[in-house]
Amino acid sequence: KYIDSAKLALMHDDALIVNCAFVGAIDNDALYAELSSGRLRAMQDDPLDERFAKLPLYNWFSSNSHTGYNTEEANRTASDMSTATLLNLLETGEDQHRVN
C-alpha cells in the first residue's frame, strides 16, 4: 500500500483525499477507520467493500457506486472535454462548457 495508517495520520483533520490512482493505493482498513471517525473525507472512482456504502456521502463518495453512466466511451468523452476546457482556459480564459 502506498498510503497506510501512518501516512493517513499525518493528514490534517477534515482533509479530503481524492484517489485518482488505483484501487489498493490506500489501505482500505486504515481509510475506513479515518472516514468512520469523521476525521477525514475521501472520494474514489471505484467502490470498495460494503462498509464504505454505509458511510454518509459527506465522508465518502464513489462515483461508480452512485452513478450508472461510467462506460468507457462516457469516461473518454468527459476526459476529452476536461482536457479541452483546461487548454482553452489557459489560452483564452474562456470555458466553452460552462453551465452558468
Side-chain angles (χ1 to χ4, degrees), residues 24-73:
I26 304 173
D27 180 278
N28 285 355
D29 293 330
L31 180 61
Y32 182 77
E34 292 285 3
L35 297 176
S36 63
S37 75
R39 195 180 82 76
L40 296 178
R41 299 172 296 132
M43 187 279 173
Q44 180 164 309
D45 189 37
D46 200 295
L48 299 173
D49 61 51
E50 65 278 350
R51 298 177 294 174
F52 289 83
K54 297 174 185 170
L55 292 170
L57 289 178
Y58 58 81
N59 277 63
W60 167 253
F61 181 76
S62 170
S63 64
N64 279 336
S65 66
H66 298 302
T67 59
Y69 63 86
N70 284 298
T71 64
E72 183 178 340
E73 181 180 353

Side-chain angles (χ1 to χ4, degrees), residues 1 7 13 17-19 24 34 36 38-39 41 49 51 56 61-62 67-68 79 81-82 85-88 93 97:
K1 306 291 178 199
K7 289 184 179 102
D13 288 355
I17 303 166
V18 178
N19 183 7
E34 292 285 3
S36 63
R39 195 180 82 76
R41 299 172 296 132
D49 61 51
R51 298 177 294 174
F61 181 76
S62 170
T67 59
S79 176
M81 287 174 67
S82 298
T85 295
L86 287 172
L87 290 172
N88 197 48
H97 300 294

